[in-house]
């Protein structure tokens, strides 16, 4: 503990990095060094995402202005219902989110989400900038050397109190301080995503259609576009084979004997038409880490707990992390003497339990994505009280900021 102003480095200005930086933006006596390796416009601009009701709940407590900016007409559409069934059009699960959540979520384009989160931070983010090196000088001081990839200009910082790793799934902070890159656990599922033009309002709110272990997920986003996330099971090799990235393979994945419903026909046709634009990925999660042994490095968001995307909780948990940590850090940094290891331990204690629950729930909910799955039975189970109680916990039991700040 030293009596002086504080220096915090945030590596990565994605969802969680922006929220932590936003929390600290008006802290007197705190120097925040926030870097992102990418340009101001995010490269994932081509896709959309659904942000859970839990994110909007905690964001409204953290910053009503940010919550309002994300819910402006034209920026996002409300996520208010969840329909799931079989690709022949049979609906098994039809849930107004108001039954399990206190507020709606949103459907939004990635680039728009980043624009809204980054805009209030202005030039506080150093874009196109990477960390060349970082580490401990001694037990209570960290260093960081950065380089702007466009200009080649390097800067070195000493006496850093806290490094916050917000640099996503392939986190450099995590590999630097937590013993290398984490070993992912594969679900054995291929996931691909794309955005296509809307067709006569055919797709509206969040919907999922299953056949055997294959799934089509879709919803509309502003700008008359439709987001599609398709999946199919992989064999034991976990490889996505070239013959699976074909129109023939994908059509047979989703087509049941009675044929596709009009909605699923549109989705399958759109996937096949845009085959060349598809980015193919494998569903995986990684073990959870938060604070390092020294107590001065904290991983958040995907760097801490990239998880199976089945419940759409990757970005949503990054929101929870960012709002919670942003608010508590802001409060703590108003003190001249901060015990950083104690603070990191306290943040970890609250977030670890919540993330453990969400990660486990996301794994359980992935049953209908697997080879040999029985979507009718599995979706029926999701209409039952046990699953709905977990959804209520997911969407409602976010950390309460006012309470956390009072206890602080
Ligand atoms: C195509 C796609 C669709 C998705 N759909 C959904 C969805 O519908 N709902 C949902 O909840 N989740 C979704 N996810 C998951 C979601 O993207 C992540 O869980 C979420 O973005 C995590 O937020 P984050 O802030 O931790 O990381 P990110 O948002 O990934 O941000 C990390 C930032 O760090 C920067 N960075 C990385 N490495 C470095 C480095 N070494 N130095 C400096 N900067 C660095 C990156 O440029 C980036 O800006 C999706 C993911 C993808 C890829």
């Amino acid at each position: 503990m030293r009596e002086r102003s504080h220096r915090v480095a945030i590596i990565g200005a994605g969802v969680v990095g922006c929220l932590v930086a936003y929390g600290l933006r008006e802290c007197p006596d705190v120097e925040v060094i926030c870097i992102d390796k990418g340009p101001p416009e995010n490269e994932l601009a081509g896709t959309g995402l659904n942000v859970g009701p839990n994110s909007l709940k905690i964001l409204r407590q953290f910053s009503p202005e940010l919550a309002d900016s994300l819910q402006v007409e034209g920026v996002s559409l409300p996520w208010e219902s969840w329909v799931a069934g079989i690709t022949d059009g049979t609906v098994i699960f039809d849930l107004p989110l108001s039954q399990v959540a206190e507020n709606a979520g949103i459907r939004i384009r990635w680039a728009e989400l980043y624009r809204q989160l980054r805009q209030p931070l202005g030039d506080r983010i150093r874009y196109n900038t990477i960390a060349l090196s970082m580490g401990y000088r001694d037990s209570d001081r960290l260093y960081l050397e950065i380089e702007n990839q466009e200009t080649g200009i390097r800067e070195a910082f000493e006496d850093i109190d806290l490094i916050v790793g917000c640099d996503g799934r392939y986190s450099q902070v995590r590999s630097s301080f937590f013993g290398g890159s984490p070993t992912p656990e594969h679900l054995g599922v291929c996931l691909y995503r794309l955005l296509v033009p809307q067709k006569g309002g055919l797709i509206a709110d969040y919907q999922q259609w299953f056949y055997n272990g294959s799934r089509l997920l879709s919803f509309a986003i502003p700008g008359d576009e439709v987001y599609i996330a398709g999946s199919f099971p992989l064999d034991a090799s976990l490889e996505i084979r070239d013959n699976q990235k074909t129109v023939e393979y994908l059509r047979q994945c989703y087509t049941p004997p009675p044929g596709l419903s009009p909605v699923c026909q549109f989705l399958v046709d759109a996937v096949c038409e845009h085959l060349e634009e598809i980015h193919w990925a494998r569903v995986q999660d990684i073990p959870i880490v938060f604070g390092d042994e020294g107590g001065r490095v904290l991983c958040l968001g995907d760097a801490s707990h990239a998880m199976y995307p089945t419940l759409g909780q990757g970005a949503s948990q990054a929101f929870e992390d960012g709002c919670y940590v942003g608010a508590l850090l802001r409060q703590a940094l108003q003190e001249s003497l901060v015990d950083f290891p104690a603070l990191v331990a306290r943040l970890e204690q609250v977030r670890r339990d919540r993330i453990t629950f969400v990660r486990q729930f996301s794994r359980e909910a992935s049953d209908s994505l697997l080879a040999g799955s029985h979507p009718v039975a599995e979706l029926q189970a999701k209409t039952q009280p046990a699953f709905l109680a977990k959804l209520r916990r997911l969407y409602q039991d976010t950390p309460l900021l006012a309470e956390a700040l009072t206890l602080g």
Side-chain angles (χ1 to χ4, degrees):
M1 288 190 285
R2 282 162 297 144
E3 197 155 359
R4 63 158 179 77
S5 59
H6 300 292
R7 185 173 273 172
V8 175
I10 300 171
I11 312 298
V15 177
V16 69
C18 284
L19 290 167
V20 175
Y22 187 89
L24 303 185
R25 80 195 188 292
E26 277 158 16
C27 277
D29 300 329
V30 180
E31 182 187 357
V32 178
I33 305 143
C34 181
I35 66 167
D36 197 285
K37 71 174 182 186
E41 290 291 328
N42 190 275
E43 67 202 48
L44 292 174
T47 57
L49 83 159
N50 55 311
V51 178
N54 46 318
S55 312
L56 275 300
K57 180 181 173 186
I58 193 166
L59 183 64
R60 191 151 288 287
Q61 297 165 46
F62 177 62
S63 166
E65 300 78 32
L66 264 187
D68 285 345
S69 75
L70 284 180
Q71 290 177 292
V72 165
E73 204 184 321
V75 168
S76 70
L77 287 166
W79 174 24
E80 292 172 324
S81 69
W82 176 354
V83 168
I86 309 304
T87 52
D88 66 7
T90 309
V91 172
I92 297 170
F93 178 93
D94 185 356
L95 182 72
L97 284 191
S98 57
Q99 284 185 14
V100 289
E102 295 149 281
N103 51 273
I106 55 170
R107 296 172 268 141
I108 190 168
R109 180 187 267 272
W110 262 109
E112 189 61 48
L113 174 63
Y114 275 80
R115 191 174 305 126
Q116 296 299 329
L117 294 177
R118 288 175 168 182
Q119 190 270 334
L121 295 166
D123 59 9
R124 289 183 174 89
I125 304 172
R126 293 162 155 95
Y127 290 105
N128 301 305
T129 300
I130 57 156
L132 291 175
S133 62
M134 54 188 145
Y136 278 91
R137 275 289 172 238
D138 56 40
S139 65
D140 65 353
R141 285 183 318 149
L142 294 145
Y143 67 90
L144 170 69
E145 191 186 3
I146 61 175
E147 181 179 81
N148 183 310
Q149 299 286 277
E150 284 189 325
T151 61
I153 292 174
R154 293 183 177 189
E155 285 177 273
F157 300 89
E158 295 290 333
D159 290 337
I160 295 174
D161 297 290
L162 181 69
I163 291 182
V164 194
C166 302
D167 49 347
R169 167 74 185 78
Y170 302 100
S171 168
Q172 185 186 359
V173 175
R174 180 165 177 153
S175 57
S176 304
F177 292 95
F178 295 81
S181 302
T183 306
E185 189 151 329
H186 287 270
L187 179 62
V189 168
C190 169
L191 185 66
Y192 59 88
R193 302 153 158 126
L194 67 162
L195 271 185
V196 299
Q198 175 70 280
K199 187 184 171 191
L202 197 57
I203 306 293
D205 213 342
Y206 187 87
Q207 50 196 279
Q208 298 173 319
W209 304 102
F210 295 84
Y211 178 55
N212 291 331
S214 301
R215 184 204 66 181
L216 292 163
L217 180 159
S218 189
F219 50 81
I221 61 167
D224 254 357
E225 285 181 299
V226 168
Y227 172 68
I228 305 175
S231 77
F232 55 82
L234 295 171
D235 65 23
S237 73
L238 298 175
E239 269 177 47
I240 308 170
R241 299 181 195 287
D242 285 345
N243 68 358
Q244 294 178 311
K245 301 177 190 173
T246 59
V247 167
E248 298 70 35
Y249 186 82
L250 291 168
R251 284 201 189 280
Q252 65 83 30
C253 270
Y254 302 108
T255 309
L260 293 161
S261 68
V263 161
C264 292
Q265 187 71 58
F266 162 71
L267 295 173
V268 171
D269 289 347
V271 167
C272 293
E273 204 177 309
H274 294 85
L275 210 55
E276 296 307 313
E277 297 153 41
I278 290 178
H279 171 74
W280 307 88
R282 294 176 300 170
V283 173
Q284 46 186 286
D285 68 10
I286 53 173
I288 303 169
V289 301
F290 280 99
D292 75 327
E293 269 182 22
R296 286 175 178 273
V297 178
L298 178 63
C299 281
L300 298 173
D302 271 11
S304 158
H305 46 65
M307 60 179 72
Y308 294 169
T310 316
L311 293 170
Q313 282 292 313
S316 301
Q317 289 308 314
F319 266 91
E320 286 194 18
D321 277 356
C323 295
Y324 185 73
V325 172
L328 267 73
L329 254 186
R330 173 172 54 200
Q331 184 187 52
L333 290 171
Q334 277 152 12
E335 309 291 320
S336 59
L337 291 177
V338 181
D339 181 345
F340 281 94
L343 177 64
V344 165
R346 183 176 158 219
L347 295 170
E348 167 155 1
Q349 198 185 7
V350 170
R351 292 305 297 151
R352 186 175 276 279
D353 283 355
R354 172 80 174 152
I355 292 296
T356 303
F357 159 69
V358 178
R359 184 173 181 264
Q360 182 55 30
F361 188 25
S362 297
R363 285 176 161 229
E364 285 166 27
S366 303
D367 53 355
S368 23
L369 303 183
L370 300 172
S373 73
H374 299 94
V376 174
E378 288 147 10
L379 288 177
Q380 274 165 351
K382 293 186 171 83
T383 64
Q384 298 304 302
F387 185 82
L388 296 178
K390 284 190 181 171
L391 270 188
R392 276 188 200 96
R393 184 173 165 196
L394 179 69
Y395 294 146
Q396 298 187 22
D397 285 7
T398 56
L400 293 172
L401 292 190
E403 209 171 274
L405 293 171
T406 316
L407 290 173

